[in-house]
């Protein structure tokens, strides 16, 4: 890393300290290759706060509680899409048709595309917006949650959605909102958002939960953390509940916790006490 070319002094030790702090706060593990990413993500905070270098910024985060959330928000990766890994929504529709579902938890909901895809699937399968199914969406990133709650997206984000779904579930923006779409209020009302750090001891979620979507977040944690979170989630699930993981998250080694159903979908291995 050549700090001489950079606007702010940034050394290997700064990168290691950022990693350490992020791990303490979120258990997200950043690989060695993420040093440039860390610089580009945090540099905006340094500019906004008029802080001259990374070591001073780290000190600032550790002494100013209100900066901690900005630090986390800057370093999380929020990549997502409507109906990402579309087979999961077919599995959900089938599950809804055969079970009396009351509660669905989307545990790393990012900017909202995933929980709104769940809500669209529920609305279509149940034939109404108010089927009495609670959809709770959570994330550690307060900025992503704000975007999710607003429910406003660039039109490009819904290009791959079927025309009839675009018509039923989105409103076209006008005036200053031209080029944007907004989820219809009936869909927005189906989802409640809250901030939950999956690595914290307590989660603001009541059990039992019928379906948990926990996709593309475990990859950021080490194996012991993944298993700990999986175990706690399985305890929240109904005995025949559904756990849906991301495409690169595999729990074939955790047969004491989950039973493999199909492509990255699982049932609890056995009845777990809540
Ligand atoms: C790559 S996105 C995945 C979004 C969505 N689940 C999907 O598959 O499209 C990962 C999300 O996990 C969230 N995240 C990271 N660490 C977390 C933690 N400790 N607790 C809760 N959410 C976390 C990030 O803020 C980010 O929004």
């Amino acid at each position: 890393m050549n700090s001489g070319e950079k606007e702010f002094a940034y050394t290997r030790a700064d990168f290691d300290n950022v990693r350490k702090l992020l791990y303490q706060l979120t258990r997200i593990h950043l690989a060695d290759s993420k040093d440039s990413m860390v610089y580009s993500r945090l540099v905006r905070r340094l500019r906004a706060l008029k802080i001259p270098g990374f070591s001073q910024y780290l000190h600032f985060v550790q002494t100013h509680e209100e900066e901690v959330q900005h630090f986390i928000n800057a370093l999380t990766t929020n990549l997502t899409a409507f109906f990402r890994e579309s087979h999961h929504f077919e599995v959900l529709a089938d599950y809804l048709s055969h079970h009396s579902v009351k509660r669905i938890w989307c545990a790393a909901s990012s900017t909202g595309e995933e929980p709104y895809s769940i809500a669209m699937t529920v609305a279509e399968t149940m034939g109404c917006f108010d089927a009495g199914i609670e959809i709770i969406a959570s994330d550690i990133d307060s900025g992503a949650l704000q975007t999710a709650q607003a429910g406003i997206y660039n039109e490009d984000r819904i290009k791959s959605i079927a025309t009839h779904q675009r018509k039923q579930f989105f409103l076209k923006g006008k005036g200053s909102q031209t080029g944007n779409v907004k989820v219809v209020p009936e869909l927005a009302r189906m989802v409640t958002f809250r901030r939950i750090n999956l690595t914290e001891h307590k989660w603001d979620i009541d059990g039992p939960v019928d379906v948990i979507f926990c996709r593309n977040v475990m990859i950021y944690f080490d194996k012991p953390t993944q298993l700990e979170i999986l175990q706690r989630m399985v305890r929240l699930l109904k005995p025949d509940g559904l756990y849906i993981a991301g495409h690169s998250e595999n729990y074939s080694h955790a047969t004491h916790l989950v039973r493999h159903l199909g492509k990255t979908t699982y049932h609890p291995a056995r009845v777990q006490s809540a």
Side-chain angles (χ1 to χ4, degrees), residues 25-28 72-73 75-82 84-85 106-111 113-115 138-142 144-145 195-200 203 213-221 225 229 246-247 249:
L25 295 166
T26 66
R27 299 231 217 138
I28 293 174
I72 294 173
N73 291 1
L75 292 171
T76 50
T77 295
N78 303 120
L79 183 77
T80 188
F82 284 103
R84 181 182 191 186
E85 298 171 55
C106 176
S109 58
S110 189
T111 41
E113 289 85 339
E114 185 178 38
S138 67
D139 201 279
I140 196 174
D141 181 335
S142 60
L145 285 169
R195 187 185 173 276
I196 295 179
N197 178 351
L198 294 174
T199 67
E200 264 169 17
W203 296 336
F213 276 70
C214 185
R215 305 189 309 163
N216 307 304
V217 59
M218 293 283 220
I219 40 164
Y220 297 104
F221 307 140
T225 308
I229 294 173
H247 60 283
E249 294 155 341

Side-chain angles (χ1 to χ4, degrees), residues 201-249:
H201 189 63
K202 207 168 158 8
W203 296 336
D204 180 17
I205 293 285
D206 291 327
V209 177
D210 299 272
V211 182
I212 296 179
F213 276 70
C214 185
R215 305 189 309 163
N216 307 304
V217 59
M218 293 283 220
I219 40 164
Y220 297 104
F221 307 140
D222 54 26
K223 280 267 169 322
T225 308
Q226 291 181 3
L227 283 184
E228 196 186 306
I229 294 173
L230 182 65
Q231 181 167 37
R232 290 172 63 198
M233 287 188 168
V234 165
R235 283 204 195 114
L236 270 178
L237 274 176
K238 280 190 181 160
D240 62 345
L242 186 62
Y243 179 94
I244 304 188
H247 60 283
S248 53
E249 294 155 341

Side-chain angles (χ1 to χ4, degrees), residues 5-274:
E5 291 168 8
K6 292 188 158 59
E7 183 184 350
F8 295 94
Y10 178 58
T11 63
R12 176 71 200 195
D14 293 330
F15 172 58
D16 284 337
N17 289 333
V18 168
R19 286 212 277 199
K20 239 181 260 162
L21 183 58
L22 186 68
Y23 185 82
Q24 272 168 27
L25 295 166
T26 66
R27 299 231 217 138
I28 293 174
H29 170 74
L30 291 180
D32 285 348
S33 57
K34 301 290 182 192
D35 61 349
S36 312
M37 182 201 88
V38 163
Y39 181 90
S40 61
R41 297 270 191 92
L42 289 179
V43 82
R44 278 168 270 166
R45 293 304 305 154
L46 272 75
R47 281 191 201 120
L49 295 163
K50 300 197 181 356
I51 288 179
F54 273 74
S55 55
Q56 293 94 326
Y57 175 67
L58 272 163
H59 178 72
F60 187 83
V61 178
Q62 282 160 318
T63 51
H64 293 76
E65 181 65 35
E66 71 281 6
E67 184 57 23
V68 171
Q69 187 65 55
H70 289 292
F71 175 79
I72 294 173
N73 291 1
L75 292 171
T76 50
T77 295
N78 303 120
L79 183 77
T80 188
F82 284 103
F83 294 102
R84 181 182 191 186
E85 298 171 55
S86 60
H87 59 280
H88 286 155
F89 298 92
E90 287 160 26
V91 171
L92 175 64
D94 183 62
Y95 191 84
L96 288 163
S97 308
H98 295 97
H99 297 79
S100 163
V101 172
K102 294 275 167 261
R103 189 173 290 140
I104 301 174
W105 180 22
C106 176
S109 58
S110 189
T111 41
E113 289 85 339
E114 185 178 38
Y116 291 130
S117 302
I118 294 171
M120 286 186 256
T121 306
V122 169
E124 284 189 328
T125 311
M126 308 309 285
C128 63
F129 287 104
D130 55 357
I133 298 177
E134 188 185 8
I135 302 170
I136 303 151
S138 67
D139 201 279
I140 196 174
D141 181 335
S142 60
L145 285 169
Q146 258 175 27
T147 303
Q149 230 149 359
I152 297 172
Y153 301 93
N154 189 284
E155 259 176 358
D156 289 348
R157 307 279 300 158
I158 62 162
K159 262 193 181 138
S160 58
I161 297 184
T163 312
H164 72 275
Q165 289 175 320
R166 288 206 297 260
K167 282 194 179 139
Q168 190 184 357
F169 298 121
F170 294 89
L171 300 168
K172 250 174 152 353
K174 291 184 190 140
S176 65
Q177 288 296 332
T178 302
N180 286 339
V181 291
K182 185 171 181 167
V183 295
V184 295
E186 297 88 334
L187 197 75
R189 274 198 291 275
M190 291 175 72
V191 187
T192 54
F193 292 95
R194 62 190 71 158
R195 187 185 173 276
I196 295 179
N197 178 351
L198 294 174
T199 67
E200 264 169 17
H201 189 63
K202 207 168 158 8
W203 296 336
D204 180 17
I205 293 285
D206 291 327
V209 177
D210 299 272
V211 182
I212 296 179
F213 276 70
C214 185
R215 305 189 309 163
N216 307 304
V217 59
M218 293 283 220
I219 40 164
Y220 297 104
F221 307 140
D222 54 26
K223 280 267 169 322
T225 308
Q226 291 181 3
L227 283 184
E228 196 186 306
I229 294 173
L230 182 65
Q231 181 167 37
R232 290 172 63 198
M233 287 188 168
V234 165
R235 283 204 195 114
L236 270 178
L237 274 176
K238 280 190 181 160
D240 62 345
L242 186 62
Y243 179 94
I244 304 188
H247 60 283
S248 53
E249 294 155 341
N250 185 308
Y251 299 112
S252 50
H253 59 291
T255 49
H256 59 298
L257 296 177
V258 286
R259 184 158 50 87
H260 191 227
L261 261 183
K263 223 167 155 187
T264 51
T265 55
Y266 300 86
H267 274 325
R270 61 195 145 83
V271 180
Q272 306 264 333
S273 54

